[in-house]
Every structure is written in structure tokens, then in C-alpha cells.
Amino acid sequence: MMKTKDRILSVSLELFNRDGVAQVSTLIIATEMGISPGNLYYHFRGKDEIIATLVTELQNSLTTISNEYASQVKDFDDYWPFMHTVMALFTHYRFLFRNLDSLNGQNPQIKRKIRTLILKLRHLCNDMLKHLVVLGKLKCDEQSLPLLADNLLLVSLNWLNYQTLLDDHYSESDLARAGVLRLISMVEPYLTENAKSPFFTHQDLVSELVT
């Protein structure tokens, strides 16, 4: 049976994702759970602490992913499912990426955590691309690679807002796939000949992204 503290985080995440952070109060969270506000405050001092804990959860998951990347990705075809894992995390915690500006100015603790998260993601993007270069799957010089990594991160941080503006009825799996396709389309021009995937072609990417 899930502990009350874990249930609070789970229900809060669901409500934040569904309704947005500004529309969800601790009273709404407690009511949704069928517990008293006092019971909630026993575990968390307020909504900001719940948000900060959820950001820490995401950071910890990204640390695990970062540590596993080099051993899991040996070819470009391994990059595709790995990116699905990353994008699935983004969609699971999508409230954060859809409210980055407001959350960043809301609370000093949350602001520090968000900055740490963004730096961790930036480092991960760089490491992922460098690893593909070492494997001989990506042709990108040292000057261009940081810019490509930053562009991948920019799209990663903002694609959820764009995608849901187009259609707010996407499932989590559809959102994750749409995010992966956009990132793959940015990396594809830099692929070496022996990195071309049998699972998709350039036209496949174009067709799915623009329809």
C-alpha cells in the first residue's frame, strides 16, 4: 500500500499535469485524496515543497538515465528507444515544463532546483551527442556540437507547450513520440552513413511531423 507522502506526490503530479499548477491548491489536493489539510501539512509544508520534491524526483531519474546512457547506447538505433525514455519522463512531469517561467520566479528553492535541472539536462545533451561522435555515428565538429546540444535542449523544454497548443488530447505516449521525432529530425542531418536507421527514413520523419 502506498504511503500517504507518496500518495500526496502522485495525486499532486496528476492534478498539476491536468489542471496546471496555479489552479491546484493544497486544499484541492487534500480533498482529492480524502484527507484533511492538516494531514497533508504533516508531510509537506505547502504546495511549493510538493513541487520542489517532484523536481528532485525528476532530477534523480535523470541522474540514473545519465549513468546508464553509455552502456545502453551502442548504435544509433539504441538512441531512439533511449530518447523515448527521456521524453517519457518529460511527459510524466509535464506540468514543470509547461510552467517553467512562473515556477522559476515563484520560490528561491524551486528556482535553484530548476536551474540545477536545466544544467543537468544540458550536460546530458552534450554527453549524448559526444558519445554518438565517439561511436562514429555522428559527424559534428567541436564548435557545432554545443550549439546542437543547446538546440536539442531548447526543443525538449518547449515542445510540450507547442504540441498541446496544436492538440490538447494527446496521450502521454503520443506526446513522447512526437518529442522524440522532433529531436531525431534535428540530429539526423549529422548522422554518418553507418548510422542510418532501418526503422525510419528522412521522409518518414517529415511526413509524421507535418501531418
Side-chain angles (χ1 to χ4, degrees), residues 59-69 72 82:
Q59 287 175 346
N60 292 340
S61 296
L62 286 169
T63 297
T64 300
I65 285 176
S66 299
N67 293 337
E68 294 173 348
Y69 177 69
Q72 287 190 6
F82 187 87

Side-chain angles (χ1 to χ4, degrees), residues 1-209:
M1 186 175 179
M2 188 181 290
K3 295 178 180 178
T4 301
K5 185 172 185 177
D6 294 331
R7 284 184 60 224
I8 292 170
L9 292 172
S10 178
V11 171
S12 298
L13 178 61
E14 182 180 349
L15 291 173
F16 291 156
N17 282 342
R18 188 186 72 195
D19 301 330
V21 174
Q23 283 68 44
V24 179
S25 65
T26 51
L27 178 59
I28 289 173
I29 296 168
T31 301
E32 182 76 13
M33 293 181 63
I35 64 174
S36 68
N39 194 350
L40 187 148
Y41 276 98
Y42 174 78
H43 297 282
F44 296 99
R45 290 190 295 269
K47 188 168 74 171
D48 284 352
E49 189 172 339
I50 294 173
I51 292 169
T53 304
L54 289 171
V55 176
T56 298
E57 280 187 358
L58 177 55
Q59 287 175 346
N60 292 340
S61 296
L62 286 169
T63 297
T64 300
I65 285 176
S66 299
N67 293 337
E68 294 173 348
Y69 177 69
S71 62
Q72 287 190 6
V73 177
K74 300 296 184 184
D75 206 323
F76 189 70
D77 287 336
D78 301 326
Y79 183 78
W80 178 275
F82 187 87
M83 288 306 300
H84 268 281
T85 302
V86 176
M87 290 296 101
L89 268 180
F90 275 49
T91 55
H92 187 62
Y93 293 92
R94 60 188 174 276
F95 83 91
L96 173 62
F97 300 100
R98 296 186 70 179
N99 297 271
L100 272 176
D101 285 344
S102 59
L103 289 175
N104 193 47
Q106 184 172 318
N107 174 288
Q109 181 190 17
I110 294 175
K111 183 173 183 176
R112 287 193 300 271
K113 284 183 175 292
I114 288 176
R115 177 172 172 76
T116 300
L117 174 67
I118 300 304
L119 291 174
K120 183 182 290 289
L121 285 168
R122 193 182 193 196
H123 187 70
L124 176 60
C125 285
N126 271 283
D127 283 353
M128 290 167 70
L129 294 179
K130 286 179 181 177
H131 184 64
L132 290 176
V133 170
V134 170
L135 291 175
K137 307 301 177 183
L138 201 70
K139 185 184 290 185
C140 191
D141 59 61
E142 290 186 10
Q143 288 73 36
S144 301
L145 191 141
L147 179 59
L148 176 58
D150 266 5
N151 285 337
L152 289 171
L153 179 55
L154 281 170
V155 171
S156 298
L157 295 177
N158 293 287
W159 118 90
L160 272 169
N161 283 333
Y162 173 74
Q163 207 70 44
T164 50
L165 281 172
L166 291 177
D167 186 343
D168 62 358
H169 294 98
Y170 279 98
S171 66
E172 282 199 11
S173 59
D174 287 339
L175 279 172
R177 177 172 176 80
V180 172
L181 286 173
R182 294 194 180 279
L183 297 181
I184 295 293
S185 70
M186 295 173 69
V187 172
E188 195 222 10
Y190 296 90
L191 295 181
T192 58
E193 276 303 315
N194 66 344
K196 300 300 182 183
S197 173
F199 300 124
F200 67 89
T201 65
H202 176 76
Q203 192 54 50
D204 292 332
L205 288 172
V206 171
S207 298
E208 188 159 348
L209 285 171

